[in-house]
Amino acid sequence: MPELPEVETTRRGVAPHVVDRQIVRVDVRERRLRWPVPEALAELPGQRFCSVGRRSKYLKFHCTAGTLLVHLGMSGSLRLVAADAAPGKHAHVDIVFDNAIALRYIDPRRFGSMHWLPAGSGEHPLLAGLGPEPLDEALDPDHLHRASRRRRLAVKQFIMDSRVIAGVGNIYACEALFLAGIHPGRPSRTISAKRYRRLTEAVRDVLGQAVAAGGTTLRDFLGGDGRPGYFSQQLHVYGRGGEPCTKCSGSLRELRLGQRSTVFCPSCQT
DNA sequence: CCCTGAACCTGACCGC
DNA sequence: TGCGGTCAGGTTCAGG
């Protein structure tokens, strides 16, 4: 479910309801996520989140004692619920506020994670090596080209490497490469600076539009306010293997790159 | 340093 | 109805 637009949609949906509210309780029903849920969450009661940020696909809940990092993995979501609402099978953590609302972390596959970063302890190791944010206005249009000079792997895997550029997931990698007219299997180093500039623009466009639309709806995505996103109708290639290309009407093809399904148009993407 | 494949886990779906 | 196989939005880690 969550790619960067879904994470950003969650941030926007959740922030107004949790910022400045006093935390009264944290219920951890299941500690076994990708990494164990930190014991330090026990220090949250009495605190208030002063802001909610995002870096790559990590949400950052800031308070004076430190920062709670939340990653949604493949199947995670955050919902605002009544504090007494029945948790259900995969509702692993609740952060309960003084107005009887809870921020509920739900994650069937448990590939997500939570981390606690005490105030003043610098950057979390998981965030330290991340590449630039794709939606940062200051992103250098030649960044991808420069970073690719010694890389032989397929360009799709290259742009999905979070050390190269943060937050480009499988759906949007496919979509951006289609928009830029680049074959996803092309070796990174064989692509010109001009085409990388076009690809950079495509990544920003596709992510920006998806954020504006409130995230992609695949199966069950709901924003923090419980409203579904509507972007899935605009996907050109993802999930459309064998169907006609929206540009040339040829048949879209599917291949696997780095264990991920990849859809592209063999005539529009070279 | 670069690259590949395994691993983590549950649920949905498909063919028999 | 059940059973086995395949697939799914992500990321880290071990090993070549």
Side-chain angles (χ1 to χ4, degrees):
Chain A
M1 172 254 298
E3 287 222 28
L4 186 145
E6 289 73 37
V7 176
E8 177 61 21
T9 299
T10 298
R11 187 189 71 75
R12 293 178 185 186
V14 143
H17 296 96
V18 304
V19 166
D20 292 338
R21 296 242 66 122
Q22 181 157 16
I23 297 165
V24 295
R25 202 174 75 237
V26 177
D27 296 336
V28 180
R29 300 181 197 85
E30 176 58 85
R31 293 209 106 81
R32 299 171 302 164
L33 302 185
R34 173 87 203 255
W35 287 282
V37 174
E39 302 282 349
L41 263 58
E43 293 166 30
L44 279 175
Q47 299 274 317
R48 295 169 194 266
F49 295 131
C50 58
S51 63
V52 186
R54 178 187 59 76
R55 173 75 169 108
S56 190
K57 293 169 189 160
Y58 290 90
L59 290 168
K60 307 169 79 169
F61 295 86
H62 300 286
C63 59
T64 47
T67 300
L68 172 68
L69 300 178
V70 177
H71 197 291
L72 301 176
M74 288 279 251
S75 57
S77 59
L78 286 174
R79 298 291 299 279
L80 296 159
V81 300
D84 58 3
K89 196 173 175 188
H90 303 294
H92 307 310
V93 178
D94 280 0
I95 297 172
V96 184
F97 298 91
D98 57 359
N99 58 349
I101 295 291
L103 182 65
R104 176 164 288 174
Y105 177 87
I106 302 161
D107 187 359
R109 292 178 75 179
R110 291 191 276 118
F111 285 179
S113 58
M114 295 193 186
H115 313 268
W116 176 250
L117 196 57
S121 57
E123 192 153 44
H124 193 279
L126 288 170
L127 305 194
L130 291 173
E133 284 292 317
L135 294 176
D136 185 343
E137 288 173 23
L139 176 64
D140 179 353
D142 287 316
H143 167 71
L144 288 180
H145 181 252
R146 251 186 296 104
S148 69
R149 289 309 77 196
R150 271 173 255 288
R151 308 295 299 273
R152 313 184 98 97
L153 80 174
V155 61
K156 176 170 177 256
Q157 292 169 268
F158 174 67
I159 61 170
M160 287 181 70
D161 181 345
S162 61
R163 293 165 309 173
V164 170
I165 186 163
V168 180
N170 198 38
I171 297 176
Y172 298 105
C174 291
E175 294 299 313
L177 288 162
F178 174 78
L179 293 179
I182 297 171
H183 191 296
R186 175 174 284 279
S188 312
R189 67 199 297 192
T190 68
I191 295 169
S192 68
K194 187 176 171 186
R195 297 186 86 199
Y196 267 122
R197 274 180 235 126
R198 191 169 170 205
L199 178 57
T200 303
E201 268 312 298
V203 167
R204 293 164 63 94
D205 283 354
V206 78
L207 290 177
Q209 283 177 37
V211 169
T216 295
T217 297
L218 275 169
R219 299 185 177 87
D220 56 355
F221 177 71
L222 298 173
D225 57 358
R227 297 173 155 277
Y230 291 98
F231 190 68
S232 58
Q233 301 140 14
Q234 300 171 38
L235 296 177
H236 287 100
V237 287
Y238 183 81
R240 297 194 60 239
E243 293 177 35
C245 171
T246 54
K247 266 190 213 164
C248 75
S249 303
S251 188
L252 296 177
R253 280 232 293 267
E254 216 159 334
L255 75 149
R256 286 195 88 76
L257 285 174
Q259 326 175 82
R260 312 302 297 275
S261 84
T262 306
V263 189
F264 69 107
C265 174
S267 49
C268 296
Q269 295 176 253
T270 58

